[in-house]
Amino acid sequence: MKTLISGCLAMCLLFSTQVGFAKEVYHWSFKPNNNHEPADTEKEYKDLLDRYSGFYIGDTSHKTLYLTFDNGYENGYTKDVLDVLKEKDVPAAFFVTGHYLNSAPGLVKRMVEEGHIVGNHSWNHPSLPEISDEELKEELEKVKEKFTQLTGETDMHYLRPPRGTFNERSLQKTEELGYVNVFWSFAYNDWETNKQKGADYAYNRIMERIHPGAVLLLHSVSKDNAEALGRVIDECRRQGYTFKSLDELMFENWLKVGEEKA
């Protein structure tokens, strides 16, 4: 009886802890600035990202850009995006769901073959802070297992939190699972496929908010993005920007931390 009571108390404590974490669910947001100044976000968000090794922006003292795409499903434009990236020799990160891995395996293989990063966007796209630790782990492990099965690659280190929701528990648990949470300092309403407004609209929306260190969130379901991407890359380079991968960003952060500790 004593063992049973102890077990029940432990379960109750675990449940109350997880419920307590879930009470506070943050929705990622950023604050764009004018004149191509770097975007900002809430201090509380930045503190949490610093604590759990996440990021939303790169080194703002350099004109560097990081292209990231969310791939929840395929809409026929990822091939065009990959063609442009290959032609322009630009690296990108693609965050994929279980649905994408099952429905577009050839494109996922191509991403890897052409040197892009494939990140985890969860299997079913749930709000991670609102599911249990066990469910969270399963959501991420299923993606990684399927990715390895498809490509033979075992490395998957970057996570784009589905729906942009997070809290301290989700950041802590995903870090424990070996993931770096990647948020963003630029995004626009590009995912609504029935509200596309043309390549010029996408080009102008992106170029008006470009800033040093920007982590750009784009959706590959957008026809506008696919058609504007080449022009965006050319104009950014004309303005003195370079495109780097998330791996390069992490390496530079690692060097910076080492210098600060030295």
Side-chain angles (χ1 to χ4, degrees):
M1 177 62 73
K2 187 174 181 179
T3 303
L4 179 61
I5 292 172
S6 297
C8 288
L9 287 173
M11 288 297 292
C12 288
L13 179 60
L14 176 62
F15 177 76
S16 64
T17 300
Q18 291 195 11
V19 169
F21 273 116
K23 283 179 182 176
E24 190 113 54
V25 176
Y26 301 115
H27 294 259
W28 178 256
S29 63
F30 64 94
K31 304 171 186 176
N33 282 314
N34 297 321
N35 302 318
H36 303 286
E37 292 296 315
D40 200 1
T41 190
E42 305 295 335
K43 181 181 184 302
E44 186 172 7
Y45 295 177
K46 289 188 283 189
D47 290 344
L48 283 170
L49 293 184
D50 287 344
R51 194 176 308 156
Y52 297 105
S53 305
F55 63 85
Y56 76 101
I57 198 168
D59 186 347
T60 58
S61 67
H62 293 89
K63 296 183 78 170
T64 307
L65 303 173
Y66 305 90
L67 279 178
T68 72
F69 294 86
D70 281 4
N71 290 65
Y73 66 96
E74 181 52 41
N75 195 38
Y77 301 113
T78 304
K79 176 186 177 299
D80 298 335
V81 168
L82 287 168
D83 287 346
V84 171
L85 295 175
K86 184 176 183 179
E87 176 192 349
K88 305 293 184 182
D89 192 25
V90 169
F94 295 87
F95 291 91
V96 300
T97 61
H99 181 280
Y100 198 88
L101 288 164
N102 282 329
S103 63
L107 289 170
V108 175
K109 290 177 183 178
R110 182 180 170 186
M111 293 168 189
V112 172
E113 289 166 1
E114 295 184 358
H116 301 296
I117 289 169
V118 177
N120 204 322
H121 200 34
S122 81
W123 190 261
N124 293 304
H125 206 261
S127 174
L128 297 184
E130 298 177 78
I131 60 177
S132 70
D133 291 351
E134 293 75 17
E135 290 170 317
L136 185 154
K137 183 178 180 181
E138 182 180 10
E139 281 285 334
L140 302 187
E141 285 188 343
K142 285 180 70 175
V143 169
K144 186 173 182 179
E145 288 170 4
K146 183 66 176 180
F147 172 69
T148 299
Q149 178 187 334
L150 277 178
T151 66
E153 298 289 329
T154 57
D155 291 338
M156 182 172 270
H157 303 303
Y158 300 102
L159 169 68
R160 170 67 45 75
R163 311 183 191 186
T165 59
F166 66 103
N167 63 10
E168 184 164 9
R169 180 176 69 92
S170 70
L171 294 177
Q172 179 184 12
K173 293 302 177 184
T174 52
E175 184 189 43
E176 289 173 0
L177 292 170
Y179 286 96
V180 174
N181 281 265
V182 182
F183 291 89
W184 55 91
S185 62
F186 169 87
Y188 78 105
N189 188 7
D190 62 345
W191 61 88
E192 295 182 294
T193 57
N194 62 340
K195 294 183 180 179
Q196 298 293 289
K197 299 179 181 180
D200 287 345
Y201 176 80
Y203 173 84
N204 290 329
R205 288 303 308 273
I206 295 169
M207 294 309 305
E208 69 186 7
R209 295 297 186 190
I210 286 295
H211 57 267
V215 175
L216 289 87
L217 164 57
L218 300 173
H219 288 82
S220 61
V221 296
S222 167
K223 181 174 184 288
D224 294 353
N225 284 342
E227 292 180 350
L229 184 60
R231 265 201 297 161
V232 167
I233 291 170
D234 289 344
E235 178 58 21
C236 286
R237 283 175 165 163
R238 191 192 70 79
Q239 293 185 20
Y241 286 94
T242 59
F243 291 87
K244 291 188 178 182
S245 74
L246 297 184
D247 283 344
E248 290 174 288
L249 173 56
M250 291 301 296
F251 182 69
E252 290 168 2
N253 286 345
W254 177 76
L255 287 178
K256 184 178 179 182
V257 170
E259 290 172 357
E260 290 173 351
K261 290 182 177 179

